[in-house]
Every structure is written in structure tokens, then in C-alpha cells.
Amino acid sequence: MCGIVGLHLRNPDLHPRLGAMLAVMLGEMQDRGADSAGIAVYGNPEWAPSGHGCVSLLELDVLPDEVSATLGAALGVPVAAQLVDATLIASAPVGAEELLGAARAAYPDALVAGFGSDLTVLKGVGAPRDLAESWGLATASGWQGVGHTRMATESAVTPSGAHPYAVGPEQCLVHNGSFANHATIRRELRAQGVEFDSENDTEVGARFVAHQLAAGKDVETALKEVCANFDGFYTLVVSNRDSFAVVRDAIACKPAVIAETADWVAIASEYRALAKLPGVENARIWEPEPEVVYAWTR
């Protein structure tokens, strides 16, 4: 049992409230997973300035000023670095993959939690409400966010085991459930040169989707490939900076509820995470059908 939440804002007037809305949703899912939590936020200029490449790093015992100086010297441009609880966020006026390459070269032992334009990924171990407060999530703005509360079942309770898994540019995935054949698919992906950061089954799903997208497939097709190749029980939310998609397995035993209004689209493991969203009383609300991909584009 884990909890997933996702929020895609259609109304720009709501962008300043994204973090506050997402924090409430995440907190309501704490009972489904109090081991650890994570979020991905798209469009918060305090963490990810517009037009800059951004990278989120964990397990890095280096002060932000030193990171700024080291990466700035490597790239030849100013690099901003800040700590948000345990996550170091770096941004620079270069492409995200160029910044990522410099970060990996300088700090090869750091865990890359996420990278891309407009994207910040934060992860931590502990109660989700406490983590959301330590991140200052309620003050974050943006147009889209996803979150996860974890109850660990098959790998260690560490930041590397927390969701979201953001392994491709501007991409992230959160997952409630388990993949029965993840070891087989991990071996197949490794044979194709894909590297892994953890033994978590969700990372296999995220790497698989990223591999599909890198091959030129769209999100909807990539998720149909997940349904065709993965065994197990799952509800998945996959996002990039311009899209937001949901899919469940063929049996659909993991709970999920979608609500949609003219102002926003939201997904959660339980309705209580949606109950305080503005205008929810007028929302179209439904349970996603098995193996049907629901997708929205900004």
C-alpha cells in the first residue's frame, strides 16, 4: 500500500496555489505510506528558474556555495545552488543535460533525483506531512505536481527508494503496487545499456517508460507498452513538463480516483486527497478503467 497524488492546473490563476494544494493532497495520503515521500513540481521559479536547466541531487555532502563554484567553473556560466531539506537543487542558463553531465562528473556518487527544465524533485525519509513542511511545499507555485507516500515492501527505506522516479528529462513516475517481473525487465534493460540507481521495482517501470520515450514513442504508447510487458498490480502516474497521464493494470485492484474541472485535473489513491480542492463539488469524478490510458496536455 502506497499513496499517489497528481495535480495538473489548467487555470493560470491557480498556479500560485499549486504547492499548497499539493501539500494537502500529499498529507491526506500519509496513512497509506509513512516511511518516506517525494514530490515533483513543474514551474516553481524559486527552485527551477524559467529558461534554466535544473538538477536535483541527493546524498551529496557538499555545501551549496561549493557546488555553485565547482559547476560554474566547469560550465563557464553562473550556477545557483540551494538546499531544500536534504535535496540540493542546482540551476544554470544551460541545457538540463549539460548541467546534469557537469554534476555527474563533479559528484559521481550523488543520487540524481531529477533533471530538466522547470522541474524540481524532492525526496526524503519520514512522515509525508513533516517532509512537506520541511520543503516549504505550501509556498511553491507552478502548473503541475505529483507526489507519493511510500510503505516499503521490497527495497530499503532510503531516498533512492522513494518516489517519484525521474530518470528522463522533465519526466517522472509514481507507482502504487508492485511489478512481479521487474527483475526480468531490469536484466533486459541493462543488456541495452540502461543503468539503475536502486533495486526498487518502480525504478524499472520508470526506466522502461523513459527508454520508450527516448525511442520516439509518445507517453500514451509508452504506457500501453507497460501494460503489455509488466506483470503485477499497479496504478501509475507519468508526467513531463507538458503532459500528465494515468494507467492501471488489467485487474485494477489498486485504488485510484480522477477528478476533472475546467480549472484542473487531479488523481489520487483515495477521494479524501481530492476533497479540499477548489470546485471539487462540481468536478467530474470517476475511477479509471483497467488498461485505459488517460492523458492531458498543457
Side-chain angles (χ1 to χ4, degrees):
M1 185 168 71
C2 295
I4 59 175
V5 298
L7 181 61
H8 174 83
L9 299 180
R10 291 167 160 166
N11 183 351
D13 292 341
L14 291 174
H15 289 186
R17 299 174 56 189
L18 174 74
M21 296 160 71
L22 195 62
V24 172
M25 295 173 70
L26 192 74
E28 287 296 329
M29 291 296 93
Q30 179 164 299
D31 292 345
R32 296 188 62 86
D35 294 339
S36 56
I39 58 162
V41 172
Y42 293 85
N44 180 23
E46 299 299 318
W47 294 337
S50 179
H52 287 54
C54 302
V55 62
S56 300
L57 301 173
L58 287 164
E59 300 177 3
L60 179 61
D61 189 20
V62 181
L63 294 175
D65 286 348
E66 183 179 337
V67 172
S68 295
T70 299
L71 297 185
L75 294 167
V77 297
V79 175
Q82 60 180 304
L83 272 175
V84 179
D85 194 28
T87 305
L88 189 139
I89 303 167
S91 61
V94 298
E97 298 206 36
E98 185 179 356
L99 176 61
L100 175 64
R104 282 182 165 155
Y107 308 109
D109 295 328
L111 172 67
V112 178
F115 68 99
S117 299
D118 302 308
L119 172 63
T120 304
V121 177
L122 306 175
K123 299 185 183 186
V125 172
R129 287 192 182 96
D130 294 341
L131 289 169
E133 184 174 355
S134 70
W135 296 329
L137 178 58
T139 66
S141 61
W143 61 80
Q144 186 169 276
V146 299
H148 186 270
T149 64
R150 185 178 182 221
M151 184 184 74
T153 57
E154 44 57 58
S155 62
V157 180
T158 64
S160 67
H163 308 200
Y165 275 93
V167 301
E170 289 100 39
Q171 300 165 18
C172 73
L173 177 148
V174 293
H175 170 208
N176 176 25
S178 60
F179 295 129
N181 61 336
H182 63 93
T184 298
I185 296 178
R186 183 187 286 109
R187 285 195 297 270
E188 293 171 352
L189 289 172
R190 278 180 170 154
Q192 298 176 63
V194 177
E195 297 181 357
F196 288 80
D197 294 325
S198 75
E199 295 302 314
N200 191 297
D201 64 331
T202 301
E203 185 181 1
V204 179
R207 298 282 179 187
F208 181 90
V209 170
H211 197 58
Q212 297 287 316
L213 296 175
K217 295 179 181 177
D218 59 25
V219 171
E220 194 166 355
T221 302
L223 289 180
K224 288 179 180 178
E225 290 292 331
V226 169
C227 295
N229 286 277
F230 280 77
D231 298 328
F233 307 115
Y234 52 85
T235 296
L236 302 178
V237 176
V238 173
S239 69
N240 62 32
R241 68 187 303 276
D242 293 316
S243 70
F244 179 83
V246 178
V247 72
R248 302 170 81 192
D249 67 84
I251 299 176
C253 70
K254 294 300 179 181
V257 179
I258 298 174
E260 182 175 13
T261 73
D263 291 332
W264 48 261
V265 180
I267 166 76
S269 296
E270 299 180 34
Y271 174 76
R272 60 187 168 127
L274 311 176
K276 295 181 181 178
L277 292 175
V280 70
E281 65 276 7
N282 299 315
R284 175 185 173 229
I285 300 172
W286 75 98
E287 181 179 343
E289 295 291 330
E291 293 193 326
V292 174
V293 178
Y294 300 84
W296 296 266
T297 300
R298 188 165 73 99

